Amino acid sequence: KYMKISNSDTFDPITRNSGQACKTEEYEQDLGADKFPRYIRHVRCVNVGVDCKANEGTFSCKQTMIFKNILSKDNFLALKAEADQSSPAEFFDFWKKTEQQIGVGCECSKF
């Protein structure tokens, strides 16, 4: 799981082979209160471009990315639902779908 809603939620642990050629590190990004989900976990490739197969020279570490849809709150627009005489008017936030690029790993691949 790469996304969470509140800061108190936890991410699923990532397990990797201890002898992998490409090193990675994890970090959490807070997208802000106007995004849903608010928190994203990224996996960053530490040694991008470094040879990862010493005997073959044409392999290097490359960042692996995915794109996920998130919701972004539009603070300038609110939709008003017309109410009848017996109930008050209701206001709703307007959200738009946007793509978020997420780093998910690092792979040794031929260039």
Side-chain angles (χ1 to χ4, degrees), residues 37-65:
R38 180 173 178 163
Y39 301 94
I40 304 250
R41 175 181 54 188
H42 293 270
V43 178
R44 178 183 306 147
C45 187
V46 175
N47 48 357
V48 173
V50 173
D51 287 344
C52 49
K53 287 191 175 183
N55 298 337
E56 302 209 20
T58 58
F59 287 82
S60 67
C61 297
K62 290 186 175 182
Q63 178 73 51
T64 306
M65 306 296 279

Side-chain angles (χ1 to χ4, degrees), residues 9-105:
D9 293 342
T10 59
F11 288 117
D12 295 335
I14 296 175
T15 56
R16 295 181 175 79
N17 297 334
S18 60
Q20 67 181 358
C22 299
K23 302 294 180 210
T24 59
E25 64 184 13
E26 297 176 32
Y27 69 97
E28 186 176 306
Q29 180 182 10
D30 182 349
L31 299 175
D34 61 339
K35 302 284 194 270
F36 182 85
R38 180 173 178 163
Y39 301 94
I40 304 250
R41 175 181 54 188
H42 293 270
V43 178
R44 178 183 306 147
C45 187
V46 175
N47 48 357
V48 173
V50 173
D51 287 344
C52 49
K53 287 191 175 183
N55 298 337
E56 302 209 20
T58 58
F59 287 82
S60 67
C61 297
K62 290 186 175 182
Q63 178 73 51
T64 306
M65 306 296 279
I66 61 171
F67 288 89
K68 288 287 191 175
N69 290 324
I70 64 166
L71 297 176
S72 297
K73 191 176 192 179
D74 190 337
N75 292 323
F76 301 109
L77 294 176
L79 303 176
K80 179 180 177 183
E82 293 296 328
D84 60 24
Q85 301 287 346
S86 63
S87 60
E90 295 181 60
F91 291 88
F92 299 93
D93 293 324
F94 182 74
W95 294 80
K96 58 185 174 184
K97 181 173 74 169
T98 58
E99 278 192 339
Q100 175 71 37
Q101 189 175 18
I102 302 171
V104 293

